[in-house]
Amino acid sequence: MGVARLQSLTSDMLLPARLDAREPPRRQEVDLAQLVAEEAARRRPRLDVRVTLDLTPEVPVRGSPEQVRRLVANLVDNAVRYAATEVGVALGRSGTRAVPDVTDDGPRHPAGAPRHRLRPVRPSRSRPPA
């Protein structure tokens, strides 16, 4: 495992503590197209899944580079996990907004099956203050 991956895992583990401490994220302008291209090119465990790109160049967004990268990595990793053979990653614009789209060719949710929604995890109110 490389140094960059270990740093990323450490950062992921420390994120809940930073959020609990209400530490504001470091916000700056991020080139989302560049970041998406880097994340799509990252080696993943499933070498049988091809990741294709359709990116509008130079799509600036304002945010925490680490958190934006984590978001993109999670989207692509999940698509790769459930894909049969291919994941498509597109990035466009709608006015001043960035419009990302991640698709895969894996099985779809069966019609009529119950849909589960994820709910945000909130810090426990019963936990004693630090």
Side-chain angles (χ1 to χ4, degrees):
M1 185 177 295
V3 173
R5 182 70 179 136
L6 285 174
Q7 287 174 330
S8 176
L9 289 172
T10 302
S11 178
D12 286 350
M13 290 188 304
L14 292 173
L15 180 62
R18 287 196 300 268
L19 293 174
D20 280 351
R22 305 233 190 285
E23 180 181 308
R26 184 175 53 96
R27 294 175 54 96
Q28 64 187 60
E29 188 170 285
V30 177
D31 181 355
L32 188 56
Q34 176 66 35
L35 191 144
V36 168
E38 290 169 5
E39 276 306 311
R42 188 171 50 84
R43 188 174 174 88
R44 291 185 165 71
R46 288 200 53 204
L47 300 177
D48 59 321
V49 175
R50 186 175 73 148
V51 178
T52 61
L53 296 174
D54 180 14
L55 306 178
T56 298
E58 299 178 11
V59 178
V61 296
R62 187 141 180 84
S64 162
E66 295 82 17
Q67 289 179 356
V68 173
R69 182 175 299 277
R70 185 177 299 111
L71 172 72
V72 171
N74 286 342
L75 289 170
V76 176
D77 287 347
N78 285 338
V80 167
R81 183 177 298 119
Y82 296 106
T85 60
E86 188 171 6
V87 169
V89 181
L91 178 64
R93 288 187 186 157
S94 177
T96 60
R97 293 179 180 239
V99 181
D101 186 37
V102 179
T103 59
D104 67 75
D105 63 351
R108 297 289 148 234
H109 190 79
R115 300 204 51 110
H116 302 281
R117 291 199 170 163
L118 298 177
R119 294 188 180 144
V121 177
R122 304 269 187 235
S124 171
R125 300 279 185 222
S126 63
R127 188 171 47 187

